Amino acid sequence: MPIARDQQIPLVDRLSELSGGSYSPDVRRKYFISGPQWAYAYEGHALFHAPTREPVPFEEVIRALGEIGIPCWATHDTDVIPTNDLMTDRQTEIVARIGAALKSNGVRCSMVTCETFHHPVFAASSAAEAPEVREYSARRLSNVVDIGHELGANFAVYWPGTLGYMIQGAIDETQTLRWFADGINAACERDIIVAKERGRDTLKHCLEAKPFEPVSQIILPTSDAMLAFISSGLLTHPEMVGLNPEYLHELMWGAACRAALARAMLCGKLWHFDINDGYPLKHDVDLGVGLVNPLDWLNVLILLRSHNYEGPFNLDFKPPRTTSNHGVFKISFPTAVDRFITLWEIAGEAIDDPVIKQATDALKAGGGASGADSADDIFAANRELLSLHELIAHRLFQILIGQHKGRIFG
Ligand code: GLO
Ligand code: MG
Ligand code: MG
């Protein structure tokens, strides 16, 4: 029996209800989660894809976030201000309208980001050879700092996009990195001035790496490359610059995201985190958090919770093209938030789990071999304890699926 058009939304809504309900907006608001303008308003377009959804203006996105209970909003400059209106009176008007929309919906702007990859002016990157391109990039980055302070944001994120090339040979990578640093330095210097004028803290400037796309070779392809860049001596204010890793971007180069986050935390640079999901060594499909790798996600959140990272968590995913505008509002965003909260809570249970606790304590206590010089003796003293590694992994699976709460084999 075909489902008539006017029956489809009621069916989708009824099945959403049947799939177990959801957290209330008040519960969701307790987490430091942001909904990006570009994710909510993504129309489903790509190189081989025509859009499948209608455009969504920022008023509508902010209203929806308020209703769902996503406490924060994030945006690129050009998501909301046409390129040629940037740095004009038109920008001032639009930013004022954004401020009003945020206020009336109880949503806060947590992060602003500069689009330096889509407009053709950035074809050779924001750190291109032509000095006027680089001057323009510096102005754009500084302007984003102004917008951020005006909207009350605390974070600025920079995904450098086209910082790389399709074919090598034409540019000197060391020079490009120096020029790229000039742009970040301009943003930090502008920030110091504006923060002082406004009596606010300076923003946290976070670099985001992606190993490939949109050009074939990326000069700073990983979070680790960016950590090296931050401490290279090229930045005038390295203390103002940290990282915004993205879960899927780490998987794209085959890394364990959890290990990448651990390295960033050890450097004191894990400041912001883009959360989504996808497949290792593949494209940046930006699926909703937890839909592909829930066990890996649980492990990521155990690490973050046990080191007191509490956010921001930025929902940088793209609702699939098969989801309608109604679906983005009713399914995509609320379920992404709810899966995140569920995984966060499960991570807390795993941290407190007595089996895992005893097992890890025992592993750390070791077998107590005497005679530290004999490899064979040391191994023999620990051999039976080492089986606990696999038991811990099994226990994590049980906790993920709720087996520790009574589901039994049988
Ligand atoms: C693209 C990036 C992009 C950034 C955004 C913020 O792959 O994930 O969405 O997160 O531009 O700078
Ligand atoms: Mg991202
Ligand atoms: Mg991505």
Side-chain angles (χ1 to χ4, degrees):
M1 232 321 240
I3 317 292
R5 272 211 237 172
D6 64 350
Q7 292 308 306
Q8 294 178 9
I9 285 184
L11 173 73
V12 167
D13 289 352
R14 189 170 58 77
L15 293 182
S16 301
E17 283 298 315
L18 273 180
S19 68
S22 53
Y23 293 107
S24 71
D26 283 345
V27 169
R28 291 171 179 155
R29 279 189 204 103
K30 294 190 180 127
Y31 296 81
F32 192 170
I33 298 175
S34 54
Q37 174 68 27
W38 68 89
Y40 196 101
Y42 169 59
E43 291 169 49
H45 52 281
L47 190 54
F48 297 105
H49 292 158
T52 59
R53 287 188 289 268
E54 302 298 320
V56 191
F58 64 80
E59 287 90 346
E60 176 55 23
V61 174
I62 292 170
R63 190 206 57 75
L65 298 185
E67 195 173 320
I68 295 167
I70 296 174
C72 301
W73 175 79
T75 194
H76 292 98
D77 47 1
T78 53
D79 291 338
V80 285
I81 305 162
T83 303
N84 290 325
D85 289 345
L86 288 165
M87 303 175 273
T88 68
D89 291 346
R90 193 68 197 118
Q91 166 174 312
T92 315
E93 280 164 39
I94 296 172
V95 171
R97 271 174 39 219
I98 294 172
L102 290 167
K103 199 163 173 219
S104 64
N105 289 284
V107 177
R108 186 167 82 72
C109 172
S110 54
M111 181 272 264
V112 285
T113 175
C114 192
E115 175 265 299
T116 54
F117 45 85
H118 189 260
H119 193 282
V121 70
F122 301 121
S125 92
S126 60
E129 297 92 330
E132 59 273 26
V133 172
R134 301 197 307 274
E135 278 160 31
Y136 176 74
S137 303
R139 290 183 57 223
R140 282 281 299 271
L141 289 161
S142 303
N143 181 59
V144 158
V145 167
D146 290 359
I147 297 174
H149 279 291
E150 178 64 26
L151 292 175
N154 297 108
F155 296 87
V157 166
Y158 312 111
W159 169 53
T162 45
L163 192 75
Y165 36 73
M166 295 307 277
I167 310 161
Q168 69 180 359
I171 64 161
D172 170 349
E173 290 83 347
T174 64
Q175 178 65 76
T176 304
L177 287 175
R178 287 178 200 286
W179 283 334
F180 179 62
D182 290 344
I184 303 293
N185 291 340
C188 291
E189 273 142 33
R190 175 74 189 158
D191 189 8
I192 291 168
I193 294 168
V194 182
K196 198 165 173 204
E197 276 169 14
R198 291 176 174 261
R200 299 188 80 227
D201 289 341
T202 53
L203 306 178
K204 284 187 173 307
H205 299 254
C206 306
L207 304 179
E208 175 179 344
K210 170 152 100 163
F212 38 90
E213 291 180 346
V215 288
S216 57
Q217 293 296 335
I218 304 287
I219 303 182
L220 292 173
T222 62
S223 296
D224 302 286
M226 284 182 160
L227 287 175
F229 173 74
I230 293 170
S231 54
S232 65
L234 294 178
L235 296 180
T236 47
H237 293 285
E239 75 288 354
M240 293 173 68
V241 183
L243 292 189
N244 172 46
E246 175 171 314
Y247 177 83
L248 182 56
H249 293 179
E250 300 301 333
L251 256 58
M252 284 171 76
W253 67 274
C257 182
R258 178 169 149 139
L261 296 175
R263 295 189 291 271
M265 278 197 300
L266 279 178
C267 298
K269 293 297 191 186
L270 182 64
W271 292 356
H272 201 277
F273 184 26
D274 274 1
I275 63 172
N276 55 16
D277 214 337
Y279 300 89
L281 300 169
K282 295 238 182 228
H283 318 286
D284 196 18
V285 286
D286 288 329
L287 303 175
V289 54
L291 289 181
V292 181
N293 298 292
L295 184 58
D296 193 51
W297 256 109
L298 173 61
N299 277 305
V300 162
L301 295 182
I302 290 171
L303 181 84
L304 296 185
R305 269 195 86 146
S306 41
H307 291 273
N308 302 318
Y309 178 86
E310 291 186 330
F313 296 99
N314 183 43
L315 294 165
D316 192 9
F317 77 111
K318 294 199 169 63
R321 297 175 79 225
T322 43
T323 297
S324 71
N325 282 69
H326 176 77
V328 170
F329 175 54
K330 281 301 253 266
I331 298 174
S332 228
F333 269 75
T335 62
V337 179
D338 289 350
R339 284 190 306 278
F340 171 80
I341 296 176
T342 305
L343 285 163
W344 181 260
E345 294 307 318
I346 298 174
E349 290 170 21
I351 290 168
D352 293 338
D353 183 66
V355 175
I356 295 182
K357 252 201 172 114
Q358 283 184 48
T360 46
D361 286 351
L363 283 163
K364 286 182 199 155
S370 55
D373 287 343
S374 164
D376 284 348
D377 287 354
I378 295 169
F379 170 64
N382 280 276
R383 181 166 39 204
E384 296 305 331
L385 282 179
L386 292 179
S387 302
L388 293 172
H389 277 259
E390 192 174 353
L391 183 68
I392 290 170
H394 173 68
R395 185 68 182 155
L396 286 167
F397 168 85
Q398 288 187 312
I399 293 171
L400 176 69
I401 65 163
Q403 211 158 22
H404 64 309
K405 286 186 167 166
R407 182 179 170 148
I408 48 162
F409 297 103

